[in-house]
Amino acid sequence: MFLELIATIFAGFAAAGVVLLIDKATRGRLPRWLAPVAAGAAMLAATISSEYSWYGRTAGAVPDDFTVIETVESRAIWRPWTYLAPFTERFVALDRASVRQNAVRAEERLADLYFFGRWAPVRQLEIRVDCARGARALPGDGAGAEVVWQEVGAEDTIVAAVCGEAAA
């Protein structure tokens, strides 16, 4: 985040500097307001570019054993351009190397999911999947708490990814 702030500030200074050089070359024929407007436009462009490139950079940096299984796009009123082209703000990745058979129930699989967010730390969550039923649940807490299953169907992205890895 800090490097993005530095890059945005640098883009503003660079754009203002270019306008000032052009102004000097044209012997002061440009309006005085053009340098701060160019700086603001460059900073806005740098911020937008950073938002749109975040997903590609982050997903490209995950280990080879990870598969992106779900993405969440963002649209916001204060970013009107996102209504034309939404950007990916969050995504979920499956660690394929973590998919394993449940030692207690052979029909179930356990896997690790990783949740990535634009301005959030990465969170890891272990999940249980029953491939035959098309259901998923969070593992119990080890204290005998009842596991709550969600019947989501075999087409659910998490169930399909975990069961596909189990079959492979």
Side-chain angles (χ1 to χ4, degrees):
M1 181 163 58
F2 179 71
L3 293 178
E4 289 180 15
L5 176 65
I6 297 300
T8 301
I9 292 170
F10 181 76
F13 277 115
V18 168
V19 169
L20 291 175
L21 285 175
I22 293 171
D23 187 50
K24 187 172 184 164
T26 61
R27 295 189 177 112
R29 292 190 177 146
L30 294 178
R32 295 182 57 95
W33 54 262
L34 193 56
V37 168
M43 293 171 77
L44 184 62
T47 301
I48 292 170
S49 173
S50 178
E51 284 183 343
Y52 278 95
S53 64
W54 171 81
Y55 170 69
R57 288 190 322 263
T58 306
V62 299
D64 292 336
D65 288 340
F66 283 45
T67 301
V68 175
I69 58 174
E70 203 167 301
T71 60
V72 177
E73 293 183 337
S74 176
R75 289 183 173 96
I77 192 75
W78 58 89
R79 290 182 240 155
W81 56 88
T82 59
Y83 287 98
L84 295 173
F87 71 96
T88 303
E89 183 177 48
R90 295 176 283 154
F91 68 94
V92 180
L94 168 67
D95 181 3
R96 294 187 317 264
S98 73
V99 177
R100 60 208 177 278
Q101 187 173 9
N102 190 337
V104 178
R105 294 185 172 91
E107 69 276 5
E108 294 177 12
R109 303 288 179 261
L110 298 170
D112 292 333
L113 296 179
Y114 290 83
F115 297 83
F116 294 82
R118 174 79 170 105
W119 297 110
V122 178
R123 293 181 306 145
Q124 184 263 338
L125 178 70
E126 185 180 56
I127 193 159
R128 290 170 65 176
V129 175
D130 187 329
C131 295
R133 287 183 14 211
R136 60 184 167 148
L138 300 177
D141 61 3
E146 184 68 29
V147 175
V148 179
W149 286 93
Q150 294 177 324
E151 302 289 336
V152 292
E155 65 279 346
D156 178 67
T157 55
I158 295 172
V159 172
V162 171
C163 293
E165 282 301 317

